[in-house]
Amino acid sequence: MDLAFLHPLYEHPGPWASVYAGTPAPPESVPGERSLTAAAVTRELTEQGADEATCRAVRRAVEELRHDAEPYGRALFARDGRVVLDPTLAAPPPADLAFWAPLPRTAPLLDLAGEDVVCVVAYVDRRGARFELRGALGGEGAAPAAGGWWPVHRTGGAGRSERHFHLWMENTWEHNVAEVADALAVCQEETRADLLVLVGEHRERGAVRDRLPRRLLDRVVQAPPGVGGRLPDEDLARVRAEHVRRRAADEVERFLAARGPDAAGRRGAVEDVAELVEAAREHRIDELLVRAEGPDTHRAVWVGEDPDQLAVHRTQLRPLGVGVDRARSARADDALLRSTVSADAPAVSVTPASEATGTGVPAGGLGALLRWT
């Protein structure tokens, strides 16, 4: 997951208020629910020591959440009486969460904001194809440069036998398949879609798949049409979830394969917190892996104001220019995410792979693929 959007959170010192608020039901369902939610998270922040101005800013932001614009909710990050960042969530939080801490509580974003898996759904039949762009956050519409149908034109001819007509139709369909596949490849390039979902009868969607460029084949999913021909939202949600699980499993495989030493005796992956902290300080994290609720994720480490100022023990910050009185305790996952984002490296949640297989990798919940150059 590209976390570059989090940079504004690391340009100023804490403490920070971090809130994960699910979108309340429409007002007509439970009158005043937004206000109740806002009051609850504000009370929680106050009890943790947040200042009044920041609590007011958070309360206003929660009260303004709209179900039609934020179907799952938002994360809110605030300090000094101002909400600095409020990304939309792609999944509902398990509960409304509020934190007041030296660092922003960003680790839950890996699962709750996650990847907005963008899909181009191609409805294919004997007439041609229609493309639909659908994102996890509810957006949908005709895909740019690819909306509409590519029809099979039927023109009559005297004396044409039934067999001849069917052969002609097959030839026209073969020609159309190539056009549909070419248009779908262009659509994917323009939209940068993660998945291409082919909807239709088995023969038609298979023919389109066979004509797509090889580079796109690992993005293709095939599905039969739903009621009225449209792919149901719940089916598309399952397709997206499987894609996320597969991506997480691939990252776990890479991590496991890299743990052994190379020819130079250097390991390509680590999961011990002390080694992770050292790699973060030296900008050697190529990708951070996080498994939610692993025992090391909430382990305390020590941080200064700079992303490179982190250590396992408080006294280890002194050589980094941080006096003991300015050292702050923080969660290991949030501290490592700050360093990873500041070094422009990606992070990924491997929780879906862990849940699917029942295995805990990385063992403590934190791991990293390393770079040595």
Side-chain angles (χ1 to χ4, degrees):
M1 181 178 180
D2 183 1
L3 297 171
F5 70 95
L6 293 179
H7 276 292
L9 301 184
Y10 304 126
E11 294 172 355
H12 306 284
W16 285 86
S18 305
V19 170
Y20 290 83
T23 303
E28 60 271 16
S29 299
V30 183
E33 186 176 0
R34 286 177 177 81
S35 297
L36 291 173
T37 301
V41 298
T42 302
R43 183 167 56 252
E44 179 65 26
L45 289 174
T46 300
E47 291 174 356
Q48 294 181 40
D51 62 274
E52 186 177 345
T54 300
C55 288
R56 282 199 304 270
V58 169
R59 181 165 189 156
R60 283 195 301 270
V62 173
E63 288 177 340
E64 291 170 0
L65 286 177
R66 302 193 320 278
H67 193 275
D68 57 342
E70 296 94 9
Y72 300 112
R74 281 187 178 270
L76 306 168
F77 300 98
R79 65 180 293 277
D80 286 346
R82 183 172 68 93
V83 174
V84 176
L85 196 66
D86 60 344
T88 300
L89 301 180
D96 295 318
L97 308 172
F99 309 91
W100 179 251
L103 295 182
R105 180 79 180 99
T106 52
L109 284 174
L110 295 178
D111 288 306
L112 298 179
E115 298 180 54
D116 182 8
V117 180
V118 176
C119 302
V120 171
V121 182
Y123 297 94
V124 181
D125 68 10
R126 302 299 298 180
R127 294 178 295 159
R130 176 174 56 85
F131 301 165
E132 183 183 48
L133 188 65
R134 291 166 71 175
L137 300 181
E140 61 181 67
W149 288 91
W150 281 260
V152 174
H153 297 290
R154 297 180 58 173
T155 57
R160 192 183 297 275
S161 69
E162 182 177 351
R163 183 173 183 274
H164 189 188
F165 175 79
H166 283 301
L167 286 174
W168 180 86
M169 285 293 291
E170 291 296 331
N171 289 338
T172 304
W173 167 240
E174 289 299 323
H175 173 74
N176 237 49
V177 164
E179 288 192 354
V180 169
D182 289 345
L184 188 54
V186 171
C187 182
Q188 189 281 327
E189 186 174 354
E190 290 184 355
T191 62
R192 302 181 69 180
D194 302 285
L195 291 175
L196 303 176
V197 185
L198 303 179
V199 179
E201 298 304 322
H202 177 76
R203 185 181 183 189
E204 282 80 4
R205 64 179 191 252
V208 172
R209 182 192 182 281
D210 291 344
R211 297 298 294 267
L212 286 170
R214 185 177 299 274
R215 63 180 174 81
L216 295 180
L217 294 184
D218 62 349
R219 298 176 183 264
V220 176
V221 177
Q222 298 188 52
V227 178
R230 188 177 187 273
L231 183 68
D233 291 339
E234 55 270 25
D235 289 353
L236 190 58
R238 283 192 290 269
V239 167
R240 286 195 181 97
E242 178 55 34
H243 172 75
V244 171
R245 282 193 294 271
R246 189 167 61 247
R247 287 278 298 272
D250 289 345
E251 295 307 308
V252 168
E253 274 191 35
R254 287 181 60 209
F255 174 79
L256 293 174
R259 289 194 301 184
D262 60 14
R266 299 179 303 193
R267 286 182 297 158
V270 295
E271 57 185 324
D272 176 76
V273 171
E275 292 177 305
L276 287 166
V277 166
E278 180 182 5
R281 281 200 306 261
E282 297 175 358
H283 296 186
R284 286 191 288 106
I285 292 181
D286 195 48
E287 181 179 68
L288 183 69
L289 280 66
V290 179
R291 177 173 61 85
E293 301 308 320
D296 286 341
T297 58
H298 48 79
R299 177 174 167 179
V301 297
W302 293 90
V303 299
E305 292 184 4
D306 190 274
D308 295 338
Q309 295 172 331
L310 72 163
V312 173
H313 302 291
R314 190 174 191 173
T315 55
Q316 292 173 336
L317 285 178
R318 285 177 179 169
L320 303 177
V322 182
V324 174
D325 59 329
R326 292 190 294 118
R328 297 291 181 267
S329 177
R331 288 178 58 116
D333 53 2
D334 292 327
L336 287 168
L337 266 175
R338 179 179 70 154
S339 295
T340 299
V341 171
S342 299
D344 294 321
V348 61
S349 168
V350 294
T351 305
S354 178
E355 291 176 345
T357 62
T359 57
V361 179
L366 296 171
L369 292 161
L370 303 181
R371 54 179 173 233
W372 290 95
T373 57

